[in-house]
Amino acid sequence: MRSYFNKFIYYCILFCYNKCSYCTISQFYNDPEGNPFRIRSAENVIKELNQLKENYPKLKDIWFVDDNFVIPGKNGFNRTKKLCEGIKNLGFKFDIYLRAIDVNERLLKLLKENGIRSIFIGAESGCENTLKNIYNKNISVKQTKEAILLCKKF
């Protein structure tokens, strides 16, 4: 973590459920058993953010630089909800990275209600062939466009 003016750059999860051809995350963060997930609990993250708030009272923003702030599935949404509520209770605004396929109205509503400032969505190419056959993105240009348009509504 490092301070950048009033914003802290913060990691709370090291994983990605996709295996894009250009990305080293799954190779770099795998533990010896091959598990690519290193996820801190929402409670653990909020406890640390509380300590940061106490030590740096002028801190206003957190930039979560995790490759995927949201974990897929019901447990992932529940974790995200706990994180968001804890972040709001500490008075922070925050920025995150998301995969376009994780963007939906329910998630965006939750993020907005709890102080989201910006969402960065990976849009590595506007060419279907490149996304599918070169980058192994498992996402389409259409899905990325739809995610961006949905974000604009919020």
Side-chain angles (χ1 to χ4, degrees):
M1 296 175 292
R2 68 183 176 104
S3 177
Y4 185 73
F5 301 111
N6 292 5
K7 182 178 283 199
F8 244 76
I9 297 170
Y10 192 84
Y11 282 96
C12 68
I13 183 170
L14 298 171
F15 97 104
C16 184
Y17 56 86
N18 204 44
K19 295 190 186 224
C20 303
S21 63
Y22 57 86
C23 187
T24 60
I25 289 175
S26 61
Q27 291 84 18
F28 187 75
Y29 291 117
N30 279 352
D31 65 21
E33 288 79 41
N35 182 6
F37 299 97
R38 296 196 183 179
I39 302 168
R40 294 174 58 200
S41 69
E43 294 80 11
N44 179 266
V45 172
I46 297 305
K47 181 179 177 183
E48 186 171 53
L49 290 177
N50 189 49
Q51 290 171 346
L52 288 172
K53 187 73 170 180
E54 289 173 5
N55 292 328
Y56 304 96
K58 293 182 181 178
L59 183 63
K60 303 289 181 214
D61 298 308
I62 303 293
W63 179 9
F64 290 94
V65 291
D66 310 303
D67 295 286
N68 295 301
F69 184 76
V70 176
I71 303 166
K74 183 179 178 184
N75 289 339
F77 184 83
N78 290 339
R79 178 183 178 275
T80 301
K81 184 176 180 186
K82 287 178 188 175
L83 278 172
C84 288
E85 290 168 353
I87 292 165
K88 180 180 181 180
N89 289 339
L90 290 169
F92 292 128
K93 299 291 183 187
F94 62 107
D95 310 289
I96 62 171
Y97 291 99
L98 283 178
R99 285 182 49 88
I101 58 175
D102 292 328
V103 175
N104 60 62
E105 287 192 23
R106 180 179 179 210
L107 175 63
L108 292 175
K109 183 176 185 239
L110 173 71
L111 294 170
K112 185 175 181 180
E113 289 172 350
N114 288 286
I116 191 76
R117 285 177 26 103
S118 59
I119 298 171
F120 299 89
I121 296 175
E124 288 79 5
S125 178
C127 174
E128 295 291 347
N129 184 52
T130 301
L131 287 172
K132 182 178 179 183
N133 298 317
I134 297 174
Y135 291 163
N136 190 35
K137 284 293 292 181
N138 297 320
I139 194 165
S140 69
V141 173
K142 180 182 178 192
Q143 288 171 304
T144 302
K145 286 180 180 177
E146 288 172 352
I148 292 167
L149 291 173
L150 192 55
C151 286
K152 284 183 171 187
K153 289 171 69 174
F154 284 84

